[in-house]
Amino acid sequence: MPTTKQALGLRIKEFRERNGFTQDKLAEMVGIDPKHLSRIENGKNYPSIETLEKLAANLNATFEDLFQFSHILDKNNLIDKTIRLLEKLPVQKIKFIYKIIRELY
């Protein structure tokens, strides 16, 4: 399950991709180093309040939007649970599940 810092980073990345910006472009717009933006998106660093304000403005989002990440927590929690369950299954059952999923998509 991601930490709050990681969930915030994922949410910022989600808005960045939704707006069609690369990390380099958004970092330039906000006035920060692209490596710093990468660390924010990867949940390694928190942005300062000033940076968060600039990110929100350039992403056409509010602070509230950036901190609404329950869907991210739920998704990652579901993925973690699924992986733990799959790790307990024999290989043949995993192959069967894979075939079913592949046919659906």
Side-chain angles (χ1 to χ4, degrees):
M1 186 145 177
T3 65
T4 302
K5 193 186 318 184
Q6 291 167 330
L8 175 61
L10 289 169
R11 187 70 166 146
I12 290 168
K13 179 179 179 179
E14 183 179 43
F15 270 93
R16 176 179 60 76
E17 290 175 344
R18 186 181 301 164
N19 282 278
F21 299 140
T22 63
Q23 280 186 339
D24 288 340
K25 179 64 178 170
L26 181 58
E28 179 184 325
M29 294 165 66
V30 173
I32 61 174
D33 188 276
K35 289 180 184 178
H36 182 54
L37 179 58
S38 176
R39 288 189 294 269
I40 291 169
E41 287 187 358
N42 288 313
K44 293 182 173 126
N45 289 5
Y46 273 119
S48 68
I49 293 296
E50 294 81 15
T51 299
L52 194 58
E53 288 174 336
K54 291 176 186 177
L55 285 166
N58 283 284
L59 294 171
N60 299 314
T62 64
F63 271 14
E64 292 82 12
D65 291 333
L66 295 179
F67 285 93
Q68 288 178 353
F69 41 71
S70 61
H71 67 288
I72 292 170
L73 298 176
D74 292 342
K75 175 184 169 188
N76 285 318
N77 190 29
L78 179 60
I79 290 169
D80 289 344
K81 285 181 182 178
T82 303
I83 289 170
R84 283 194 300 274
L85 289 171
L86 287 172
E87 288 173 340
K88 296 176 183 178
L89 293 176
V91 173
Q92 287 304 98
K93 285 189 178 183
I94 294 172
K95 286 180 180 181
F96 178 71
I97 292 169
Y98 175 78
K99 284 180 185 179
I100 292 171
I101 293 171
R102 192 167 166 202
E103 287 178 20
L104 292 173
Y105 296 98

